[in-house]
Amino acid sequence: MSRENQPSNEARDTLVRIAYGAMAAHTAGAAARLRIVDLIGDGACTADELAAECAAQPPAMGRLLRALTGIGLLVERSPGAFAVTPAGALLRSDGPDSLHSFVRMFTDPTMLRAWERLDDSVRTGETAFDVVFGKDFFGHLAQQPQLSADFNAAMSQATRDTAALLPSAFDFGRFATVADIGGGDGTLLAAVLKAYPSLGGILFDSAEGLAQAGTKLARDGLDGRCALVAGDFFATAPEGADLYLLKSVIHDWSDEQCAEILRHCRRVIPDNGRLLIVEPVLPPVADPSAAGVVYLSDLNMLVNVGGRERTRDDFESLCRAAGFAVRTVTRLPEPNRFSLIEAAPV
């Protein structure tokens, strides 16, 4: 290879950082499980102090703290004394913007083990999770209540920024009742109902998905305005709404399964009703300057659940197959990566 064709140091560094990426994720996951950020709080702590709190070995704790500094979650204020960065503060379990549960879930073996077979999934197009665990992802969660609760908490944290934007990005005041299909603990629906006092709500999910919803809605003072309906969206959709909302549902499933979910909504939606899908919309040509996490999410759907992220054309095809026509696609403000896909029954 000639000197002019040799890779630059920047190119090498980029690839090395990618190769170390799994290690960085496990480092953040260990910090979440050990509650390092909670223990440090607003001050600074030494490895010896944190090791005593965690029943850990001080030298090993020091190595973890240095690694957390290297990936930007801590800063060493003075020799041996570590404090939390703004990014690290998101690992506080009790913070208002906490991603603690999200990091714990996405660094858990449940999420990561099937990724070891990504190449198999690429070769076959099949979901590796089912091979590794002997059942599908959501079936696995259903048999493990604590893991299911952890997943629900992670999804709630991942939804929070969208919930803050959605009420002002879409005119819910045109409707009487919104049904949130696959709405989990109600984080998104609660934000909408609080912003529109005259709006009624229906929260529809599996029994496992709704496990924390009653507490959440009662805490927000919304239990009297929102019905909890347990069910299977492959079998039915709840009646009584004129807006059907699906956030981060469609990307979990194959085209055939998505069409089935949407057809159930079509059967119960009134002629003047609307369907609102909240999902990332991939550009027609892969764009590395866009949120790269969307493409990793697409592979996560392949490996773990069998779904996919989609383009606008893909969403239009899905809606058309289920008796809807896409009217508008509106991107939420950056850095949020979701779009609002509004469709009408035809």
Side-chain angles (χ1 to χ4, degrees), residues 169-239:
F170 184 80
D171 181 14
F172 289 89
R174 296 180 284 156
F175 305 97
T177 303
V178 56
D180 189 352
I181 307 301
D185 74 349
T187 294
L188 188 66
L189 184 56
V192 171
L193 293 179
K194 284 190 284 188
Y196 291 85
S198 64
L199 189 65
I202 300 170
L203 188 60
F204 182 80
D205 209 325
S206 65
E208 296 80 20
L210 293 175
Q212 289 77 40
T215 302
K216 163 71 177 171
L217 292 171
R219 187 168 61 244
D220 290 340
L222 298 169
D223 45 338
R225 290 175 53 200
C226 184
L228 302 184
V229 180
D232 177 1
F233 50 42
F234 290 119
T236 187
E239 298 182 357

